[in-house]
Amino acid sequence: MSETTVTVVGNTATQVQYRETGEGVPVARFRLAVTARRRDRHGEGWTDGPTSFYTVWARRSLATNIAASVSVGEPLLVHGRLRVREEVRDGEPPRFSADIDAMAVGHDLARGTAAFRRLARANPALTAPSSDRKPP
């Protein structure tokens, strides 16, 4: 079965919740609000449609970068795998929620500016001398 990938444009609705798993893997989670805008034929303006909310999950370096870069209310683009979950509780009809396992997240530059900073990554092979390696 192939996975469903989506790209959604919306605004950050909640603070980013950041944590590390028991294995030390960084995980970030936040809610994204997506509101469709439609042209009003009669008033010749724009009207807002219904708002959909998605829970966005990120792992590893993407999670760390999101936690350092994203705040509530900021316009974002999120690209990732769509997951629909069904919750069944006793005596209640089933509830559905949509999650996105993010592969890429960025600010919407159609609505503002951003400054990108590349992170310097240490290469262990260059920084830690090995006992079996000859010095240069």
Side-chain angles (χ1 to χ4, degrees):
M1 175 192 245
S2 63
E3 296 179 330
T4 302
T5 57
V6 295
T7 302
V8 293
V9 179
N11 292 310
T12 313
T14 62
Q15 287 288 339
V16 175
Q17 296 176 352
Y18 178 85
R19 65 179 176 85
E20 289 188 9
T21 65
E23 295 83 32
V25 177
V27 177
R29 177 178 83 95
F30 65 93
R31 300 275 287 162
L32 187 74
V34 178
T35 303
R37 292 193 42 92
R38 293 186 173 82
R39 182 113 169 113
D40 181 9
R41 294 182 201 173
H42 304 298
E44 296 186 14
W46 292 90
T47 60
D48 287 340
T51 300
S52 298
F53 290 90
Y54 298 90
T55 301
V56 179
W57 293 90
R59 288 163 183 73
R60 298 178 191 77
S61 62
L62 180 58
T64 304
N65 294 340
I66 287 171
S69 304
V70 173
S71 299
V72 173
E74 293 181 343
L76 297 178
L77 288 98
V78 176
H79 178 75
R81 292 177 285 282
L82 179 66
R83 307 270 190 238
V84 178
R85 291 184 294 124
E86 179 181 8
E87 287 184 34
V88 179
R89 296 183 182 171
D90 293 334
E92 294 183 22
R95 293 177 141 185
F96 295 92
S97 63
D99 293 356
I100 299 173
D101 290 332
M103 294 185 280
V105 174
H107 287 98
D108 184 356
L109 298 181
R111 297 194 272 163
T113 62
F116 179 78
R117 289 184 308 267
R118 184 177 302 275
L119 296 177
R121 299 186 193 270
N123 186 342
L126 297 177
T127 57
S130 175
S131 61
D132 60 340
R133 231 171 88 191
K134 293 182 182 179

